[in-house]
Amino acid sequence: MKWCKNKPSLLSAVSYRVPMEVQAIRLLPGGDSYPICPRCGITLDREYMAYCDRCGQRLGWVLIDIATIVTEPSR
Ligand SMILES: [Zn+2]
């Protein structure tokens, strides 16, 4: 089965149970890095969590090695 990312409304009921691949990592100035939830955008406490603590989205980690690195501007 193929997913159409342009039509999330059709998938909303089941999409929480289907892993969304984590595709971004936030790199902090101190050198720590945290994966970012693909659904709600929070930083996750650690890698390879099965579910997001905040939104409950099931997470996939297949793409973590090629994830986009996001850096926060220092404030
Ligand atoms: Zn989330």
Side-chain angles (χ1 to χ4, degrees):
M1 180 174 181
K2 292 192 174 184
W3 299 111
C4 180
K5 292 185 178 178
N6 294 326
K7 295 182 179 178
S9 60
L10 296 176
L11 300 171
S12 60
V14 296
S15 63
Y16 280 90
R17 292 176 227 149
V18 176
M20 281 181 76
E21 297 299 329
V22 176
Q23 297 183 54
I25 296 174
R26 175 156 292 154
L27 181 63
L28 301 181
D32 291 332
S33 60
Y34 296 93
I36 298 173
C37 174
R39 177 174 288 274
C40 69
I42 65 160
T43 52
L44 303 167
D45 289 339
R46 60 185 185 276
E47 292 187 359
Y48 304 111
M49 290 172 63
Y51 297 91
C52 173
D53 280 342
R54 180 180 175 192
C55 70
Q57 173 62 51
R58 190 173 177 185
L59 303 169
W61 298 96
V62 173
L63 302 179
I64 195 66
D65 289 337
I66 57 171
T68 302
I69 303 297
V70 178
T71 54
E72 289 269 88
S74 57
R75 297 171 190 176

